[in-house]
Amino acid sequence: MSEAGLPPLPDLEGDRGALARAVSRVEAGGDEARTLLDAAWKKTGRARRIGLTGPPGAGKSTLLATLVPLLRGEGKTVGVVAVDPSSPYTGGALLGDRHRMARSAADDGVFVRSVASRGAAGGLARAVPAVLDLLDAAGFDVLCVETVGVGQTEMDIAALADTVVVVLSPESGDGVQAMKAGLLEIADVLCVNKADRPDAATLASELEQMFDRGGERAWRPPVVCTEGRREVGPLREALEAHAAWLGQDDRLQERRRRGLEQRLQRLFVSRVADHLLERAGERLKAEAAEVAAGGISVETAAARLAKEFEA
Ligand SMILES: Nc1nc2c(ncn2[C@@H]2O[C@H](COP(=O)(O)OP(=O)(O)OP(=O)(O)O)[C@@H](O)[C@H]2O)c(=O)[nH]1
Ligand SMILES: [Mg+2]
C-alpha cells in the first residue's frame, strides 16, 4: 500500500496502531522516515529520557519491568525501547524483553518496542535515536532505553539519555569490567542489582571508593542497591535526584545540545563512510590484493585510498 497519502505526522498520541506503524517507518529509514521525523521534531523535547546499560544479565530488563509500573502509578506514560544484541545467525531481534514486560502490555500508557541492532558496527542501531524522538513527539512522559553495555554502545547512550543508569550485578567481577569499559565515566547513577546476593554490598562499597578516588565531578553518581523483581525504590529516588540536579541552571539544555551534536556527527560520518565505500569498492579490492601479494603495507594502502577519494 502506498503511504504517499498519509499526513506527515499521523495521530501518534491517540492511536497506538498508528504509532507502531510510524515506528516501523522510522526503523526502515530513507526519505519516508525523514519526512516523518521532520514533522515530529518540533514536538520533541518534553519526554524525560533514561538510559539503562550494563553487562548482559545484570538485570536491566527485570528492573524496567518493575520500574515501569511504578512510574505508571505516578500517572506517567512510559515508552520503552529495548536494543537487542544482534544474532550472528539471523540478525533479528530477540523477543525476550517483550515477554518479560508483558505485565505492562495491556496498558495503553506503556509502549514497548524491541529494536534490533542489526550489526550497526560498533554503535547503537541507527534507528534508535529516531525512534526515541518519535515516542517523545507522541507525548510519552518518560522514555527508557535498554542497551547492553559491551562495546561502543555505551558512549552512544550517553548522547541519547538525560540520565544514564549503569546496572551491575555482584556476579563475574562486573565492577572491574565496568571500570575497564569506561562505563563508570558515563554513569549518572550506579545501580548494583541483585542486592539479595551476598556480594552486593561489597561491590557497592568498592564502587563508592572508586568514585571517591576518581576526583571531583560536577555530579557525583549515587550508588544504589536494588532487587530487580521487587525493590527499585532507591533507583527511583536516584533518578529524581539527578533530574532535580539537571533542572538547575541550563544543565539539561546543555547536555541535550552536546548529545545532538554527537548524534549529528555520527550520522554524518556514517553517511560519508557509506558513500565512500560504495565509490571505492573496486579500488579497495585491488589495493587489498596488492597488500596480500606483499607489495605494500595495509597502512600505505589505506593512506593511498584516502588520498585518492579525499575530494
Ligand atoms: N537474584 C536476583 N536475580 C535477578 C535480580 N534481577 C534480575 N535477576 C535475574 O537475572 C537474570 C537476568 O536478568 P535480565 O533482566 O534479563 O538482565 P538484563 O541485564 O536485561 O540482560 P540482557 O538483556 O541479556 O543484557 C534473570 O534470570 C533475572 O531473573 C535480582 O535482583 N536478584
Ligand atoms: Mg535485557
Side-chain angles (χ1 to χ4, degrees), residues 60-61 97 100 146:
K60 302 175 293 293
S61 300
D97 294 301
R100 232 166 286 150
E146 176 192 335

Side-chain angles (χ1 to χ4, degrees), residues 104-139:
S104 308
D107 176 359
D108 225 22
V110 179
F111 183 88
V112 181
R113 183 73 166 215
S114 288
V115 178
S117 14
R118 287 201 196 100
L124 269 189
R126 270 193 216 183
V128 173
V131 170
L132 287 174
D133 287 340
L134 198 66
L135 296 182
D136 191 343

Side-chain angles (χ1 to χ4, degrees), residues 6-83:
L6 287 179
L9 193 64
D11 174 21
L12 302 175
E13 297 189 36
D15 183 346
R16 285 289 172 260
L19 178 59
R21 285 191 297 278
V23 170
S24 298
R25 271 168 77 192
V26 163
E27 272 192 277
D31 290 346
E32 265 191 17
R34 281 199 297 281
T35 309
L36 194 53
L37 289 166
D38 283 340
W41 184 248
K42 42 185 147 332
K43 296 181 86 181
T44 62
R46 214 186 54 82
R48 170 156 167 62
R49 300 177 180 212
I50 300 166
L52 281 93
T53 190
K60 302 175 293 293
S61 300
T62 311
L63 281 169
L64 273 180
T66 311
L67 185 65
V68 168
L70 204 67
L71 293 167
R72 288 295 295 131
E74 293 170 19
K76 298 187 169 76
T77 55
V78 189
V80 176
V81 177
V83 185

Side-chain angles (χ1 to χ4, degrees), residues 71-311:
L71 293 167
R72 288 295 295 131
E74 293 170 19
K76 298 187 169 76
T77 55
V78 189
V80 176
V81 177
V83 185
D84 297 316
S86 61
S87 147
Y89 302 108
T90 64
L94 311 169
L95 289 171
D97 294 301
R98 249 252 154 89
H99 292 305
R100 232 166 286 150
M101 284 179 202
R103 260 193 283 168
S104 308
D107 176 359
D108 225 22
V110 179
F111 183 88
V112 181
R113 183 73 166 215
S114 288
V115 178
S117 14
R118 287 201 196 100
L124 269 189
R126 270 193 216 183
V128 173
V131 170
L132 287 174
D133 287 340
L134 198 66
L135 296 182
D136 191 343
F140 288 98
D141 298 313
V142 183
L143 299 178
C144 301
V145 53
E146 176 192 335
T147 66
V148 181
V150 285
Q152 258 311 126
T153 50
E154 56 269 22
M155 308 310 152
D156 291 355
I157 204 173
L160 289 187
D162 301 329
T163 301
V164 174
V165 180
V166 172
V167 182
L168 303 175
S169 77
E171 299 158 332
S172 64
D174 270 7
V176 179
Q177 288 299 334
M179 200 178 54
K180 282 196 193 143
L183 270 185
L184 299 192
E185 270 117 79
I186 58 148
D188 298 302
V189 175
L190 232 302
C191 182
V192 175
N193 190 42
K194 309 196 184 179
D196 50 311
R197 297 269 166 87
D199 293 340
T202 313
L203 174 58
S205 68
E206 277 169 12
L207 290 166
E208 294 279 9
Q209 282 166 26
M210 279 186 217
F211 282 124
D212 287 341
R213 283 197 305 269
E216 283 295 300
R217 283 168 69 154
W219 165 259
R220 160 63 152 85
V223 179
V224 297
C225 292
T226 54
E227 238 183 274
R229 270 164 296 207
R230 47 203 166 98
E231 179 48 354
V232 300
L235 173 58
R236 180 79 197 94
E237 279 162 33
L239 289 171
E240 275 302 302
H242 190 241
W245 183 80
L246 278 177
Q248 288 162 33
D249 305 323
D250 52 4
R251 283 174 187 142
L252 181 62
Q253 291 82 342
E254 180 55 23
R255 183 180 176 118
R256 287 181 172 179
R257 193 194 54 74
R258 270 186 282 123
L260 280 180
E261 224 171 82
Q262 194 182 323
R263 270 176 68 184
L264 182 57
Q265 186 181 327
R266 279 184 193 276
L267 277 179
F268 168 66
V269 168
S270 84
R271 279 185 165 271
V272 172
D274 284 353
H275 180 62
L276 276 177
L277 283 173
E278 204 169 296
R279 277 175 56 207
E282 288 308 311
R283 287 284 300 118
L284 258 170
K285 278 189 196 141
E287 290 287 327
E290 198 175 338
V291 171
I296 47 166
S297 70
V298 181
E299 282 72 13
T300 298
R304 211 148 81 176
L305 278 172
K307 194 142 187 57
E308 200 176 314
F309 287 91
E310 185 159 79

